Amino acid sequence: YIMFEGYVADLLTQWLGSVFEESCIRPDRVQTSVYSGHVVLSELEFKKKFIQAIFGNTVSLRRGFIGRVEFQIPWTKLGNQPVEIWVDGIYLL
């Protein structure tokens, strides 16, 4: 089970590494339910480069966070069913 969490964290780091700080996607911060495909990440901090790419110089932002992101991944039906993503709380400072 712990190996699976590490594998999921590695995949998420690959997929989300350009958007969020990698320290937010460590295996100990990833909650997974192996059989249901439910993955939860909390307190994700945006990379400054990502914030600048989105807002440019039009808005002065120091930091940005997402409170919680939940994924529902249909492991046995990838390619046939969508991966669902829920986002709760976007904070910009």
Side-chain angles (χ1 to χ4, degrees):
Y1 183 74
I2 293 172
M3 278 182 46
F4 183 75
E5 286 180 343
Y7 177 72
V8 170
D10 287 345
L11 282 177
L12 291 172
T13 299
Q14 289 175 13
W15 295 337
L16 303 175
S18 63
V19 176
F20 299 109
E21 295 293 340
E22 290 182 19
S23 62
C24 298
I25 313 173
R26 296 186 321 256
D28 62 321
R29 295 194 60 187
V30 176
Q31 299 174 21
T32 61
S33 176
V34 177
Y35 298 108
S36 71
H38 192 232
V39 178
V40 178
L41 296 168
S42 299
E43 300 176 18
L44 296 169
E45 184 173 357
F46 290 111
K47 285 189 172 182
K48 290 184 181 185
K49 288 182 182 180
F50 176 77
I51 293 173
Q52 290 172 342
I54 297 296
F55 294 103
N57 292 328
T58 59
V59 177
S60 177
L61 293 174
R62 293 188 314 198
R63 297 174 82 180
F65 298 89
I66 290 184
R68 181 179 175 101
V69 178
E70 294 185 44
F71 299 87
Q72 185 64 47
I73 305 168
W75 298 114
T76 59
K77 298 178 183 174
L78 284 175
N80 295 325
Q81 288 187 352
V83 172
E84 297 178 352
I85 302 170
W86 296 274
V87 176
D88 182 27
I90 298 176
Y91 307 95
L92 303 172
L93 305 171

